[in-house]
Every structure is written in structure tokens, then in C-alpha cells.
Amino acid sequence: MTMRSLGAFLFALGLPSWTVAVGETPQDRLAQTGPMAHVRFLASDELRGRKAGTAEADIAARYIAERFRAAGVRRIPGASDYFQEVSWQKEGVTTRSRNVIGVIAGRVPRQAQEYVLLVAHYDGLGTGSGEDHEAIFNGARDNALGTAALLVAAELLAAQPPARSILLLATTAEEEPPFMIGSGFFVDHSPVPLNTIVFVLNNDGAGMYEDGLWSIGGLGRTTAEPLVRSAGLRYGLATEPYPPPSRSLSEHGDSLSFPPQGIPALTTTPASRPADPR
């Protein structure tokens, strides 16, 4: 993961509401060590790929909740914890797992009644069978990277809230057919009125990688495009939509649960630094 794309994302998120000079926004103080510690834990062999409905996925959910708590992210008012219980049926079998939800109150009372929703799925593909061994699909890229970005955003935004309130949603069962189960469940059981969610940004590592390029699924479908492009330029990144061969990645992810409700949504993927010409 590079900090450029995360910094660009946070800059785009905060640009209308932070009035500080260049170099003074919280993302300019990002370091590599914190996010990579999250990736190493979530993608460890011990978590066995974080398949939704397993004990290992529950461990990942508890880890995310504790990181929210440590950052000062609050529970949804009236909730006893950070978890939203999710269940689904497949071939008559009920599976249960959990979304993890936190909130950061906006600093401007008039705008704090509106929410920007940040999303990343924490579940993975679990395990499979190799020829003579068990294979663990660790899911470092898909989507420990996106979950780590969500946790870093939680820490930085809790320390310096933007004008609007922030909802943080780590979803389960994005990988489980018929897919996007956790985000769909959130939409059907939203803890806040859906008409108060003004924008959704989904962070998913299963995207397009190219040096110096920040790929955004759904770019051009919302009025946020100029803001997103300017944020990328600030960190030396060209910003483009997913190219056609990769477009399906943005058409089958958690961001797609929200536009049918009239909520604009984009998917961001990590960007890599331009190659060193030396």
C-alpha cells in the first residue's frame, strides 16, 4: 500500500471542510508502519482468509472494533457495541457474521446531520485444497489493504473531524454469493436514515494497478470527479476510471449497494508510486 492514494482520498474527503494550508492536513503525517501492521494481522495465516461466518472472521471483526474504539470512533447512538449482526441463507443453511460500524461526529452542527460513508469489506475467500496441502487465501490485497485504509482513516478523521459526520463500515460477506451481502444488509437495516448519507467511498484492493495511476470505479458517474482528480494531482497521481478489462471489479463490489437508493458511490483502489527513473 502507498500512502499517496490514502492521502489523496482523505484530502478529497476533507477538501470542502478543512481550511488549512498545504502540509497541515492529517494525511500529510501518514506513515507506512501503521497501515502495514493492520495488513499483516488481517492477512496472517492464523486468520485463515477471514471467510465470512467463521471464527477467524469474528476475530477480524473484533480487531476492527477495537481499533475503532482506540481511535475514539464512537458507536452508533443507541447501539451497545460496534457490531451489526448479518445473516443469510444458502441451500437451507443459515450463516451469521457481522458488519462493524462506527461514527465520527461532524464538527459543523448544520452539516453534521449528513454522513459520508466509508466502506471496506474485511472478509476474504478463506481456504482451499492444494494437491498435498491446505491453501490459505490470505487476502492481503483483497481486502486487508482496504480495511487497513479504513482503520487509518478512522484514526485520522477522529483526531480532526471534517464538517460532515463520517460513518465507517467494515462489511462482511462481500465475497459470498450472491455477493455484497453485508453492504446490502446495511442498506436494508441502516442505523441512520438513508437520505442523510450523501456520499459513499468504498476502498477495495482488488482493482487496477499501474505506476502513478489512481483507479476509481464509477468515476464520471458523480459530481465528485473534479474533486477526486484534484486530490490525486496533489499527491502526484493521475486519476482515471477503471479500464474496460477491470470494470467488472467495480460493478460487483460494495459500492453498488448504494446507487439504487439514490446515494452516489465510488470505489477507490490503492495507487502505486511512479517508477524511479534511476
Side-chain angles (χ1 to χ4, degrees):
M1 174 193 291
T2 73
M3 294 301 98
R4 289 190 178 193
S5 57
L6 181 54
F9 146 58
L10 289 168
F11 186 71
L13 179 65
L15 194 59
S17 52
W18 282 320
T19 54
V20 294
V22 171
E24 294 181 0
T25 52
Q27 64 271 20
D28 290 312
R29 298 188 293 273
L30 282 170
Q32 191 84 21
T33 53
M36 291 312 299
H38 298 318
V39 172
R40 284 192 293 271
F41 176 79
L42 292 167
S44 64
D45 283 352
E46 289 76 9
L47 289 195
R48 296 173 56 80
R50 309 180 308 280
K51 185 175 178 63
T54 65
E56 291 79 15
D58 283 344
I59 292 170
R62 290 198 298 272
Y63 177 84
I64 295 164
E66 287 306 314
R67 297 317 304 167
F68 281 178
R69 191 191 316 276
V73 174
R74 298 179 181 179
R75 301 185 298 269
I76 292 290
S80 60
D81 54 35
Y82 292 93
F83 302 118
Q84 181 183 53
E85 302 297 325
V86 179
S87 63
W88 65 99
Q89 283 199 331
K90 183 179 180 180
E91 298 177 352
V93 177
T94 299
T95 303
R96 293 179 173 83
S97 189
R98 299 186 286 186
N99 289 333
V100 190
I101 307 173
V103 65
I104 299 168
R107 61 178 176 81
V108 177
R110 181 175 56 84
Q111 293 175 271
Q113 304 307 309
E114 297 179 333
Y115 296 89
V116 172
L117 175 61
L118 309 184
V119 183
H121 76 89
Y122 70 88
D123 67 305
L125 296 176
T127 61
S129 297
E131 290 185 3
D132 56 358
H133 65 281
E134 179 185 61
I136 299 175
F137 305 117
N138 299 83
R141 172 172 165 176
D142 184 15
N143 189 34
L145 274 175
T147 306
L150 184 72
L151 294 176
V152 174
E155 180 180 352
L156 296 178
L157 293 171
Q160 191 171 342
R164 289 185 173 90
S165 294
I166 302 293
L167 275 175
L168 299 143
L169 172 62
T171 61
T172 188
E174 191 265 1
E175 302 281 10
E176 295 296 310
F179 308 108
M180 303 179 289
I181 291 173
S183 57
F185 190 93
F186 176 90
V187 167
D188 291 339
H189 304 85
S190 177
V192 302
L194 289 176
N195 63 4
T196 64
I197 301 174
V198 298
F199 188 73
V200 175
L201 187 60
N202 177 48
N203 201 314
D204 198 328
M208 177 69 184
Y209 284 82
E210 184 177 323
D211 286 345
L213 178 64
W214 189 24
S215 294
I216 305 292
L219 191 70
R221 297 178 184 174
T222 81
T223 57
E225 180 176 358
L227 184 61
V228 172
R229 287 189 181 278
S230 68
L233 289 174
R234 186 176 190 269
Y235 288 87
L237 300 171
T239 305
E240 297 295 340
Y242 282 22
S246 301
R247 199 155 292 161
S248 63
L249 295 172
S250 67
E251 294 172 349
H252 295 88
D254 279 328
S255 64
L256 269 294
S257 292
F258 299 93
Q261 309 301 319
I263 305 170
L266 298 177
T267 293
T268 178
T269 58
S272 57
R273 295 179 184 275
D276 189 336
R278 294 175 297 177

